[in-house]
Amino acid sequence: MAELDPRTTPARPDLAARHLEGHLTAARFVDGTLREVIEAQAPLRRAPAPDAPLDTEALKGERVTVYESNEEGWSWGQLASDGYVGWLPTAALAAPGPAPTHRVAAPRTLVFPGPSIKLPPLAALSLGARLTVTRVEGPLAVTPENNYVPATHLKPVDTTEGDFVTVAETLVGVPYLWGGKTTFGLDCSSLVQLALNACGLPCPRDSDMQERALGETIAPDLANLRRGDLVFWKGHVAIARDPATVLHANAFHMAVAIEPIADAIARIRAAGSEITSARRLPGG
């Protein structure tokens, strides 16, 4: 049996998901409880502590299967969107409400407590967040909680964008944050994931997972790079905009940035890492 990836396997020595019984050893197996993220975003951490490493973030409207909640306010579970496993604040979760009808299609939007954009906003939702719209009043969409969101920033959940590179380009300048997945901060692989998801394409969370799962390997020389090709290093991924430039969230710029691919290759090589592969997505 292939070794299971702990990032996407809801199993610990003391506890595991019921569906894994017979496939691995754990002290007990439990059925999960479906929950929904009700905050704008919720950190998914490696341990149940606010200073534990941030592995990813869950966005409003995402579904989570929770296998354990502790008295300190943390829940251990698995995200339905990409299968990532970790600890989330219990207060950010609730029983699932009505199915989301719309997704945030702008880099960021605001949630207002009433039908006026002059009111102090309650929250900011990032690209990819999902919410239920019950009606539209003029320029504002209304949620079941009677909150108001600019309708121009939303699109129905069953619609998709046409070019994931264009989506990624709207995020240029967003700060770099390891594990981040919002326009307050994101990392190299979440940039790829958010952009592909906006186009209706599934995408794993981390760059090594993406390198294994996405597209087909193309020639190691990069002379024939096309828009939308993915370039991988160990622990890093960049999106080709054209044969000469790439777009990536990176710690050198501490932001999502566009730069000549030759500069990126030289800088990363100087830090001790070579390109591991370049991959082309279907239709690329």
Side-chain angles (χ1 to χ4, degrees):
M1 178 178 173
E3 184 177 351
L4 298 174
D5 191 328
R7 294 170 293 181
T8 54
T9 304
R12 311 185 319 233
D14 63 319
L15 178 69
R18 179 83 63 192
H19 69 266
L20 294 172
E21 193 166 6
H23 298 281
L24 48 75
T25 301
R28 62 191 178 99
F29 294 87
V30 300
D31 296 313
T33 302
L34 191 63
R35 290 288 184 261
E36 179 180 329
V37 177
I38 56 173
E39 299 292 339
Q41 67 265 353
L44 186 145
R45 299 192 181 277
R46 207 166 300 174
D51 58 352
L54 178 68
D55 282 335
T56 188
E57 292 179 296
L59 306 180
K60 180 177 174 60
E62 283 200 64
R63 301 296 167 96
V64 184
T65 301
V66 171
Y67 295 100
E68 180 187 46
S69 296
N70 65 24
E71 295 180 355
E72 288 72 46
W74 292 91
S75 290
W76 183 72
Q78 183 173 33
L79 303 183
S81 58
D82 58 21
Y84 224 101
V85 174
W87 292 91
L88 301 110
T90 302
L93 307 175
T101 61
H102 288 72
R103 59 183 175 86
V104 176
R108 188 184 301 169
T109 193
L110 298 173
V111 180
F112 298 95
S116 171
I117 60 172
K118 296 181 180 180
L119 295 170
L122 297 172
L125 301 178
S126 284
L127 176 73
R130 297 187 167 212
L131 66 166
T132 304
V133 172
T134 57
R135 65 186 188 278
V136 176
E137 294 183 6
L140 298 173
V142 187
T143 72
E145 300 81 19
N146 218 36
N147 294 328
Y148 291 73
V149 182
T152 189
H153 292 166
L154 307 178
K155 290 185 179 180
V157 292
D158 59 357
T159 64
T160 58
E161 306 301 326
D163 177 18
F164 87 95
V165 184
T166 298
V167 175
E169 287 170 337
T170 69
L171 301 175
V172 169
V174 170
Y176 178 84
L177 174 65
W178 178 277
K181 193 178 168 180
T182 75
T183 48
F184 293 99
L186 45 75
D187 59 24
C188 65
S189 54
S190 68
L191 175 67
V192 173
Q193 186 185 52
L194 284 168
L196 286 175
N197 286 172
C199 296
L201 300 172
C203 178
R205 176 60 178 88
D206 292 344
S207 61
D208 64 314
M209 300 173 175
Q210 294 170 356
E211 188 171 15
R212 291 193 300 268
L214 299 177
E216 297 182 351
T217 301
I218 58 176
D221 74 65
L222 302 178
N224 295 314
L225 270 187
R226 297 179 190 168
R227 182 176 179 86
D229 289 345
L230 300 176
V231 183
F232 290 92
W233 294 259
K234 184 178 180 180
H236 188 62
V237 59
I239 303 167
R241 295 176 67 245
D242 53 46
T245 61
V246 290
L247 168 69
H248 56 156
N250 66 90
F252 177 79
H253 296 95
M254 283 305 297
V256 178
I258 295 169
E259 67 174 322
I261 188 169
D263 292 357
I265 291 171
R267 185 180 68 254
I268 297 172
R269 176 178 292 133
S273 184
E274 297 286 347
I275 290 172
T276 54
S277 74
R279 300 186 67 84
R280 179 161 297 156
L281 303 181

